Amino acid sequence: MRDAFSNALVAAAKKDPKVLLLTGDHGYALFDPFRKACPDQYINCGIAEQNMVGVAAGLAKAGFKPVVYGLAAFVPIRVLEQIKIDVCYENLPVTFIGDGAGVVYAQLGTSHQSTEDIAALRGVPQISIYSPGDRFELTACAEHIVRNPGPAYMRMGKADLGDVHRGPIEGWSHGDLIPVTNTGAPYLFIGTGSGLKMAQKAADALGNADVVSAPCLKPFPAKSLRELAKGREAIVTFEEHSIYGGLGGVVAETLMGQYLGTFVRVGIQDQFSSLCGNYSFLMESHGLSSEAVERQIREALNASVQLQD
């Protein structure tokens, strides 16, 4: 997925010399192709993320289209005030990329993990929020951002989980959820980012479930969700983000008063990472291993059946 991001960025910069890449002194290997193809459009702002956002805002007001890259723990979390005041208040065409979202940087501890970035930005006016689940969704999101200038944030999680879609996504707009399967099954599993792969695995294990992707969380495709939710016995959301303020929250808000079936939020509970280890270990410690997710959903479905009886 990171390669797809690099390719999309190079293509955008070649097409438009006003596209600039700003980075906080990291991502060098990732941006080797960009620096080779567009050396004059690359700016290393150093380890000074708040200043980098101010620089991007100034460049945007001068007619440029800055792309600000950082770890999701720093962009947007460290620079939330600057995003709000310098960029969103002015409704400037600045795109923020938060790499390593979720618990990807497992060995580095909570300071380098970001499980609250969507929640932090959802309340800020003007900004769009994207969370692609594979390289094809990332390309579609990047193309959509280019076509629709304005403040935007795109989070990238674990990059090597594999594709969900079989090929490029044609004609997508942020007004749609993307069906992976849509057979009218009794359960609807909705994933965003790396949660899409979780949803797919859970559907394979449990059966009776359709899987759809939510690569855009703001503005959220409410009409598309309401149509897909009709007649479902259970809806489950999957995200590598806090269960508060992310996909689970926005789905609950959207369906409030309409949907009365079983609703399950799979994600990070209200806790920090208290342990260090590799990515798989951290996911397991947060109850997000395939086995733990399957167990959580089964328990919720069984509890619903018992209540009905």
Side-chain angles (χ1 to χ4, degrees):
M1 193 158 71
R2 287 163 61 88
D3 287 343
F5 166 65
S6 177
N7 293 338
L9 191 57
V10 170
K14 282 185 173 180
K15 186 175 181 180
D16 185 352
K18 292 187 178 296
V19 172
L20 305 177
L21 171 62
L22 283 65
T23 180
D25 203 30
H26 56 86
Y28 293 115
L30 176 63
F31 297 131
D32 281 346
F34 187 95
R35 286 185 292 166
K36 182 178 180 179
C38 310
D40 294 335
Q41 293 165 255
Y42 175 85
I43 303 173
N44 184 351
C45 290
I47 306 175
E49 287 88 356
Q50 290 98 333
N51 181 65
M52 178 167 61
V53 177
V55 170
L59 289 168
K61 294 194 81 167
F64 292 96
K65 301 173 183 177
V67 176
V68 177
Y69 173 88
L71 303 189
F74 309 140
V75 177
I77 298 303
R78 178 175 288 174
V79 298
L80 185 59
E81 179 187 357
Q82 286 72 31
I83 291 175
K84 172 186 172 181
I85 301 300
D86 295 353
V87 174
C88 293
Y89 184 72
E90 299 279 354
N91 197 24
L92 298 174
V94 179
T95 299
F96 299 96
I97 306 296
D99 199 358
V103 297
V104 174
Y105 290 100
Q107 295 93 334
L108 299 180
T110 295
S111 65
H112 281 63
Q113 296 164 18
S114 183
T115 60
E116 64 289 300
D117 50 321
I118 295 170
L121 282 178
R122 274 188 64 210
V124 178
Q126 310 278 25
I127 192 165
S128 300
I129 303 174
Y130 299 85
S131 176
D134 68 5
R135 58 185 171 130
F136 299 115
E137 288 192 1
L138 187 147
T139 300
C141 287
E143 291 173 350
H144 195 270
I145 290 170
V146 169
R147 292 195 304 268
N148 297 272
Y153 170 63
M154 184 164 67
R155 83 186 314 243
M156 296 195 300
K158 187 68 171 169
D160 57 357
L161 296 179
D163 293 330
V164 174
H165 303 284
R166 295 181 180 179
I169 299 165
E170 304 291 344
W172 174 78
S173 76
H174 64 318
D176 297 313
L177 296 170
I178 303 177
V180 178
T181 58
N182 189 16
T183 63
Y187 309 146
L188 180 65
F189 289 179
I190 309 169
T192 192
S194 63
L196 182 56
K197 203 67 176 178
M198 274 193 274
Q200 191 178 44
K201 289 181 178 179
D204 290 341
L206 293 164
N208 295 322
D210 284 330
V211 177
V212 299
S213 177
C216 184
L217 295 167
K218 185 185 175 186
F220 190 74
K223 181 179 179 181
S224 180
L225 173 63
R226 293 188 181 109
E227 286 297 319
L228 286 165
K230 289 179 180 178
R232 308 287 183 170
E233 296 175 15
I235 294 176
V236 185
T237 60
F238 300 78
E239 58 193 316
E240 195 178 325
H241 181 278
S242 171
I243 60 170
Y244 300 112
L247 175 65
V250 72
V251 169
E253 293 163 15
T254 302
L255 295 179
M256 185 181 297
Q258 172 190 334
Y259 179 73
L260 300 176
T262 301
F263 181 59
V264 183
R265 292 175 297 172
V266 175
I268 305 291
Q269 301 299 312
D270 191 22
Q271 63 187 36
F272 293 111
S273 297
S274 59
L275 303 170
C276 286
N278 62 23
Y279 177 72
S280 297
F281 176 80
L282 256 291
M283 291 290 281
E284 184 175 354
S285 75
H286 281 288
L288 295 178
S289 66
S290 296
E291 296 78 9
V293 167
E294 182 182 341
R295 184 166 58 250
Q296 178 186 353
I297 297 170
R298 287 189 187 278
E299 289 174 355
L301 294 176
N302 291 336
S304 176
V305 170
Q306 291 172 7
L307 283 174
Q308 292 173 7
D309 292 342

